[in-house]
Amino acid sequence: MHSSASLAEGPGAYRVKDANSELGDTWRPPGGEAYVGRGWMSGERFANTHDLVEQMYYLYVRVVKAKDLPPSSITGSCDPYIEVKLGNYKGRTRHFEKKMNPEWNQVFAFSKDRMQSSVLEVFVKDKEMVGRDDCLGRVVFDLNEVPARVPPDSPLAPQWYRLEDKRGGGKVRGQIMLAVWIGTQADEAFPDAWHSDSASFFGEGIVNIRSKVYMSPKLWYLRVNVIEAQDVMPNDRSRLPQVSVKVQVGSQVLRTKICPTPTVNPFWNEDLVFVAAEPFDELLVLTVEDRVHPSKDEVLGKLGLPLDTFEKRLDHRPVHSRWFNLEKYGFGALEADRRKELKFSSRVHLRVCLEGGYHVLDESTLYLSDQRPTARQLWKQPIGILEVGILNAKGLLPMKMKDGRGVMDPYCVAKYGQKWIRTRTIVDNLNPKWNEQYTWKVYDPCTVMTLGVFDNCHLGGSENPNGGVLQKDTYIGKVRIRLSTLEAHCIYTHSYPLLTLQPQGVRKTGDLQLAFRFTPLSLANMIYVYGHPLLPKMHYLHPFTVNQVDSLRYQAMNIVAMRLGRAEPPLKKEVVEYMLDVDSQMWSMRRSKANFFRIISLLSGTISLGGWFADVCNWRNPMTTVLAHALFLILIWYPELILPTVFFYMFLAGLWNYRGRTRQPPHMDTKLSWAEGAHPDELDEEFDTFPTSKPHDIVRLRYDRLRSVAGRIQTVVGDLATQGERFESLLTWKDPRATGLFVMFCLSASVVLYVTPFRVVAVVAGLYYLRHPRFRSKLPSVASNFFKRLPARTDSLL
């Protein structure tokens, strides 16, 4: 198990901390021993299935059905429901109206921390419209007699129990079918159970707090190649039409350019690309439109096609094109006398296919969790298994008010590949313990898992500090784990700070403790993957433009959010968008500064190397300079040692850096992100809406600041372009005298280098650059002066 040194508080609060947990701990009841078999469980059998989380023991009660219940003396019928009671905690099923033989098939789970009694009571009650509910009978269980069960044991068979009088007066009419056992969170009944952690929710109310697994819809790129059209007749026969084609798939609308030549047989040959999801329940709707006015288009024909009729393409080979007859716009079923008009209609020539060789991007390419193509036939074998234990969170900050106090109903969402998981919601708890473990197949180690913590705001009864009812789940923070930074077969247990950036600055909202392990299945496949492209080859054979990638990713995110929002319970749109970084392309002064200083940090190594070489040339340390002379002469005299020496040096540097390698996966760095030093107005601008919602004077101020920053960037880019154009002008005779001098210099240099051994030239050049400062001039060199005098294209700029 990996561990890391303790980190100091203060600035260290934003860092990953070691949090060694007692994973797989055995529960021993207070004052007693751990039972095996028919008593409380031992941890040894369980360690093989959920060994990345702390074992949490539950008393499970499965209420199946009841029969032969007595009718009410007043109504002559029965509205039964079940109440399961353990100490002060009660779980309740939904009630049925006028049903003597109800079926519930509902599971209740009482955690060990909630057990305040050694007796479990199951009551059958008759719901009364007025007054107190009538108790029809009960069944009592002694917890010391409850059997234990651990998967993969088969589920415990439910049994019929005769009801007893609640006062102990013997058996009464009616029976109930129950199963009661001791289990852990590895039990199959765990995800769908009512939990005592959420004791205030009953019946259908527990749907929004259960743990669930979701699958992203299977996404395809739909390529519509609009080739041409024939016999497109305008409404005004006295003019030739200016035709374009509009294609709509769901909420996505794209349009071809207007055919440059007004004609009744226009030609485009344009590709329009959409995102489609299985099952294909949208139509491809194509309309041919005539531009009659700069602000008005007339529809000349329409076509609707189901998506599942198109060919699925797995490689770059072209599919067959087809002609489709257009339906005249405005023709309907009620116009039976005009049906003959359809015998001669306009046609459109299309080549349409569903692309199976691409990976449909719904995530940022920087945080990809899946790189497989759409078509399953093109998938490779998995190379490993990722196991993640979501243990607990500590120190969460309340996000809403309830009964005058700050509360939170936290849950965690994890996303990797097409699989999403949502833990159960722990109601009204700032230090929740989930202890849920999940597994994913890994197809590429250079991928990222994303985990986010959210506050469930759909349980009802909670209000925000301003008094309005919250409608969206609030995000608490996010954690990213890059699998390539994990060592094989090692268990990592760390506590990650949950950080959010707000208009007031960066804020720590708590800590999330995780345990994860990456298990490779084949080292050979792992090495094989590292030598292959990041995305499927179709991305490189027929690449999309940058604008297309951004637009298609936005559409893919919308489709994923819509489909996951249809699940029960739904995964909310705001959750999906936060996990997929929907706003990553928006302008941010803070991110721009962070990226600028990242570049400076990368160049600092080269700058340091140049400074060291300048010190050697200036004889700052004579001993170092003498050693540099010796190494230089040895390499020149034996040039075959140059490349082996370089690679051997990198080998030694790699071994030396192995000692200082990081022992924990990287996390959000507030200094690298410039989150701590950002100006409040910059943060306010980053959180502004698009389009802006700020007053005009603030927008003008920010626009002027943006112009200032862009001016500096423009100057730097212009300087780089100038240097490149000067280099290009060496041989293009833009300055005839400079090019003539350079050409003559090249001729002289070629003659000298031809008759002079290379070693002599290299020694002379090297010793010249390494000469003592007393032999140096403080003026720029001849080569530098010559290069700076070369012309560039700046003279042609307006």
Side-chain angles (χ1 to χ4, degrees):
M1 183 179 295
H2 274 245
S3 62
S4 59
S6 298
L7 299 172
E9 292 298 324
Y14 290 153
R15 298 182 182 179
V16 179
K17 299 181 181 179
D18 178 55
N20 291 322
S21 302
E22 296 296 329
L23 304 184
D25 190 18
T26 301
W27 173 37
R28 297 178 183 273
E33 296 295 327
Y35 290 95
V36 181
R38 289 183 56 80
W40 300 113
M41 317 164 67
S42 63
E44 288 75 10
R45 292 182 62 193
F46 182 61
N48 294 326
T49 53
H50 275 56
D51 58 335
L52 293 185
V53 293
E54 298 179 17
Q55 294 183 29
M56 298 179 67
Y57 291 89
Y58 291 87
L59 172 66
Y60 288 100
V61 181
R62 179 182 296 278
V63 179
V64 183
K65 56 186 176 180
K67 66 179 181 180
D68 196 25
L69 297 179
S72 170
S73 57
I74 300 177
T75 63
S77 183
C78 181
D79 301 333
Y81 69 91
I82 301 294
E83 184 179 88
V84 182
K85 181 180 179 182
L86 183 65
N88 293 328
Y89 291 96
K90 298 178 182 179
R92 193 175 68 199
T93 67
R94 63 188 183 278
H95 79 279
F96 290 101
E97 294 185 2
K98 299 180 180 180
K99 198 164 187 180
M100 312 297 292
N101 299 298
E103 294 188 15
W104 292 280
N105 199 26
Q106 188 171 337
V107 180
F108 299 84
F110 297 87
S111 69
K112 124 188 164 177
D113 299 331
R114 308 279 176 168
M115 293 187 180
Q116 303 170 344
S117 172
S118 60
V119 175
L120 170 72
E121 297 177 284
V122 180
F123 295 92
V124 181
K125 294 189 175 183
D126 182 12
K127 187 174 182 61
E128 298 289 346
M129 297 298 295
V130 180
R132 190 173 182 179
D133 295 345
D134 186 21
C135 180
L136 304 180
R138 69 170 184 169
V139 179
V140 181
F141 295 89
D142 183 351
L143 297 189
N144 291 324
E145 298 298 324
V146 174
R149 175 191 174 254
V150 179
D153 289 353
S154 298
L156 193 66
Q159 301 180 40
W160 286 105
Y161 293 88
R162 288 282 304 274
L163 297 180
E164 301 176 357
D165 185 76
K166 66 177 182 179
R167 299 181 182 84
K171 302 295 183 182
V172 296
R173 179 181 173 182
Q175 299 183 56
I176 182 172
M177 180 179 281
L178 300 171
V180 182
W181 72 96
I182 300 293
T184 65
Q185 67 265 48
D187 201 290
E188 294 90 343
F190 179 81
D192 295 325
W194 173 95
H195 288 270
S196 54
D197 296 334
S198 308
S200 58
F201 292 87
F202 302 104
E204 299 300 328
I206 66 174
V207 171
N208 285 322
I209 61 177
R210 287 173 172 167
S211 58
K212 289 295 178 184
V213 175
Y214 304 84
M215 296 300 294
S216 292
K218 188 175 183 180
L219 300 178
W220 295 76
Y221 284 138
L222 174 68
R223 188 184 297 272
V224 182
N225 179 218
V226 184
I227 303 174
E228 59 182 328
Q230 285 185 352
D231 302 325
V232 179
M233 302 305 296
N235 294 329
D236 181 4
R237 300 300 177 95
S238 64
R239 53 178 289 276
L240 292 175
Q242 295 179 309
V243 185
S244 65
V245 174
K246 183 178 75 174
V247 182
Q248 180 171 356
V249 178
S251 61
Q252 307 169 69
V253 180
L254 295 177
R255 184 189 296 271
T256 67
K257 297 177 182 177
I258 296 177
C259 182
T261 304
T263 176
V264 295
N265 299 311
F267 183 84
W268 299 279
N269 196 26
E270 286 189 37
D271 274 353
L272 305 178
V273 184
F274 303 85
V275 178
E278 291 185 356
F280 301 119
D281 49 9
E282 288 104 359
L283 288 177
L284 183 149
V285 180
L286 181 145
T287 55
V288 177
E289 301 183 355
D290 178 18
R291 177 64 56 88
V292 296
H293 188 271
S295 60
K296 181 181 179 183
D297 292 325
E298 286 186 355
V299 178
L300 305 182
K302 191 174 183 180
L303 174 67
L305 298 170
L307 299 185
D308 53 8
T309 60
F310 300 128
E311 181 179 345
K312 295 179 179 179
R313 185 170 74 163
L314 304 184
D315 51 28
H316 62 281
R317 287 175 292 187
V319 298
H320 297 292
S321 61
R322 294 171 56 189
W323 285 95
F324 296 92
N325 291 328
L326 292 172
E327 176 185 339
K328 285 184 180 260
Y329 185 71
F331 182 82
L334 299 178
E335 305 176 46
D337 56 330
R338 298 182 59 191
R339 290 190 183 276
K340 294 181 180 180
E341 295 184 17
L342 289 182
K343 292 183 179 180
F344 179 78
S345 64
S346 305
R347 299 195 304 166
V348 63
H349 193 194
L350 304 176
R351 182 180 287 112
V352 188
C353 66
L354 291 161
E355 298 280 11
Y358 289 90
H359 170 71
V360 181
L361 295 167
D362 60 344
E363 306 165 293
S364 169
T365 53
L366 300 176
Y367 311 121
L368 278 180
S369 65
D370 187 16
Q371 300 159 343
R372 292 170 292 171
T374 298
R376 185 177 291 271
Q377 301 95 303
L378 301 179
W379 290 5
K380 306 294 184 183
Q381 292 295 319
I383 62 162
I385 299 295
L386 175 65
E387 300 165 275
V388 178
I390 303 173
L391 302 179
N392 56 64
K394 295 182 179 179
L396 299 181
L397 300 180
M399 292 290 166
K400 57 195 175 191
M401 302 298 294
K402 184 177 181 180
D403 299 330
R405 60 186 181 91
V407 297
M408 174 182 285
D409 305 317
Y411 66 92
C412 184
V413 174
K415 195 266 183 191
Y416 183 78
Q418 293 181 332
K419 180 179 177 181
W420 300 64
I421 67 97
R422 191 184 82 166
T423 66
R424 68 191 189 281
T425 299
I426 308 297
V427 177
D428 193 7
N429 198 324
L430 300 180
N431 297 286
K433 290 185 177 181
W434 293 290
N435 283 306
E436 299 182 22
Q437 183 170 335
Y438 299 92
T439 303
W440 283 265
K441 291 181 180 179
V442 177
Y443 292 85
D444 193 309
C446 302
T447 46
V448 177
M449 158 165 275
T450 304
L451 302 101
V453 179
F454 300 86
D455 179 23
N456 196 331
C457 297
H458 292 81
L459 303 182
S462 299
E463 296 184 353
N464 62 20
N466 298 325
V469 177
L470 291 172
Q471 298 296 327
K472 294 185 177 181
D473 288 357
T474 309
Y475 62 84
I476 311 301
K478 184 187 296 182
V479 175
R480 294 193 186 99
I481 306 296
R482 186 170 290 276
L483 271 60
S484 59
T485 63
L486 306 180
E487 296 185 18
H489 306 289
C490 291
I491 298 177
Y492 291 81
T493 57
H494 291 93
S495 180
Y496 292 84
L498 297 171
L499 306 176
T500 59
L501 191 65
Q502 300 176 350
Q504 298 80 18
V506 66
R507 184 185 187 190
K508 180 181 176 182
T509 52
D511 294 276
L512 176 65
Q513 186 177 346
L514 303 171
F516 42 88
R517 173 175 56 207
F518 175 51
T519 307
L521 300 178
S522 171
L523 181 60
N525 284 344
M526 183 88 70
I527 298 173
Y528 175 82
V529 165
Y530 270 93
H532 280 70
L534 189 68
L535 292 168
K537 66 179 182 180
M538 283 293 290
H539 287 267
Y540 307 96
L541 296 177
H542 297 284
F544 295 114
T545 64
V546 175
N547 289 337
Q548 272 185 311
V549 170
D550 290 341
S551 174
L552 291 172
R553 178 177 172 246
Y554 179 77
Q555 299 297 340
M557 285 190 295
N558 282 341
I559 292 175
V560 171
M562 180 184 66
R563 291 292 179 91
L564 295 182
R566 295 179 184 174
E568 185 62 37
L571 199 59
K572 297 298 181 179
K573 180 179 180 181
E574 62 269 19
V575 174
V576 176
E577 290 181 345
Y578 179 70
M579 297 290 288
L580 295 178
D581 296 291
V582 68
D583 295 327
S584 61
Q585 303 300 324
M586 296 296 291
W587 158 260
S588 166
M589 181 73 76
R590 175 189 59 83
R591 278 197 291 261
S592 299
K593 288 197 295 186
N595 289 331
F596 173 78
F597 284 102
R598 286 172 61 197
I599 296 175
I600 296 299
S601 177
L602 289 176
L603 296 177
S604 63
T606 304
I607 296 173
S608 299
L609 183 61
W612 174 83
F613 184 73
D615 291 343
V616 169
C617 294
N618 292 323
W619 292 70
R620 296 286 175 84
N621 189 333
M623 180 62 68
T624 303
T625 303
V626 170
L627 291 176
H629 276 79
L631 177 63
F632 169 71
L633 293 174
I634 291 173
L635 293 179
I636 291 301
W637 203 255
Y638 301 100
E640 63 274 9
L641 297 179
I642 294 177
L643 286 179
T645 302
V646 170
F647 283 104
F648 187 69
Y649 170 77
M650 290 191 290
F651 166 75
L652 294 178
L655 288 183
W656 180 262
N657 292 334
Y658 181 77
R659 299 174 54 198
R661 72 191 188 281
T662 180
R663 300 302 181 90
Q664 59 193 25
H667 185 51
M668 279 73 168
D669 190 330
T670 54
K671 291 185 177 179
L672 179 67
S673 307
W674 277 76
E676 297 180 40
H679 191 275
D681 187 61
E682 295 175 358
L683 293 176
D684 185 60
E685 179 185 20
E686 183 172 345
F687 283 90
D688 191 9
T689 58
F690 184 83
T692 182
S693 59
K694 298 297 179 181
H696 293 295
D697 53 344
I698 295 180
V699 175
R700 184 181 297 110
L701 176 65
R702 291 175 178 173
Y703 176 65
D704 290 339
R705 181 179 63 192
L706 183 59
R707 290 176 64 193
S708 175
V709 174
R712 292 196 292 269
I713 296 174
Q714 171 184 290
T715 302
V716 173
V717 174
D719 289 342
L720 293 175
T722 297
Q723 304 309 318
E725 289 168 355
R726 284 174 176 170
F727 184 80
E728 183 186 34
S729 67
L730 281 171
L731 295 172
T732 56
W733 297 90
K734 292 182 179 179
D735 182 343
R737 286 164 293 278
T739 302
L741 288 173
F742 183 70
V743 168
M744 295 307 298
F745 169 77
C746 291
L747 176 62
S748 304
S750 65
V751 173
V752 172
L753 293 175
Y754 184 76
V755 300
T756 307
F758 174 76
R759 292 178 180 175
V760 175
V761 176
V763 167
V764 171
L767 293 178
Y768 173 78
Y769 281 106
L770 293 174
R771 68 191 185 279
H772 198 275
R774 71 180 61 181
F775 302 112
R776 296 176 182 273
S777 172
K778 294 185 179 180
L779 297 176
S781 65
V782 174
S784 175
N785 294 332
F786 178 79
F787 186 77
K788 290 179 180 178
R789 291 174 178 273
L790 292 172
R793 302 178 67 183
T794 52
D795 303 334
S796 302
L797 293 177
L798 290 175

